[in-house]
Amino acid sequence: QVQLAESGGGLVQPGGSLRLSCIASESIASFVAMGWYRQAPGKERELVARIVRGGATEYGDSVKGRFTISRDYARKTVHLQMNSLKPEDTAVYYCNANRIPTHVYSYWGQGTQVTVSS
């Protein structure tokens, strides 16, 4: 069973930065896509950023220009660099990885809390 472990969450002031990391138990080259999703209290889980095997990236509209997703094959890690954080970025951030067929092979981490507050 694939395991994903997130780290890097915490409390940060508005305008600050955080870097989230997701370490996989297996080679990330085996996944067709990896990404970050978030869920705020009372809201549905939403896409933050994802990167596919070929390297193309996709971002949620609310984070474009502020967040950057990247991957490190050697360390089996996907990062999410978050800059210019806003209070509305407060949520639990989850790492996700998919294999084909994606409706069968979709893996999730436990989540890491990000709180943006002064």
Side-chain angles (χ1 to χ4, degrees):
Q1 179 71 11
V2 173
Q3 295 184 356
L4 303 172
E6 303 100 333
S7 63
L11 173 64
V12 63
Q13 293 186 343
S17 298
L18 280 176
R19 188 190 195 208
L20 304 184
S21 298
C22 171
I23 299 176
S25 59
E26 303 179 17
S27 170
I28 64 173
S30 68
F31 302 119
V32 295
M34 294 190 73
W36 290 92
Y37 292 73
R38 68 186 182 187
Q39 188 166 20
K43 295 186 177 182
E44 294 186 354
R45 190 172 296 189
E46 63 175 357
L47 171 71
V48 177
R50 66 193 294 261
I51 184 166
V52 300
R53 180 176 285 162
T57 57
E58 178 185 2
Y59 294 91
D61 289 340
S62 63
V63 307
K64 286 179 181 177
R66 300 188 296 123
F67 291 11
T68 303
I69 189 170
S70 62
R71 60 191 174 190
D72 184 334
Y73 285 110
R75 291 177 171 79
K76 299 186 287 186
T77 301
V78 173
H79 300 288
L80 182 68
Q81 179 65 43
M82 306 186 295
N83 299 328
S84 302
L85 283 160
K86 305 174 181 180
E88 50 264 43
D89 294 318
T90 296
V92 178
Y93 284 69
Y94 297 92
C95 181
N96 172 256
N98 293 307
R99 289 179 175 142
I100 294 174
T102 57
H103 69 283
V104 175
Y105 300 111
S106 184
Y107 308 100
W108 294 91
Q110 294 295 315
T112 185
Q113 176 71 46
V114 172
T115 302
V116 184
S117 175
S118 55

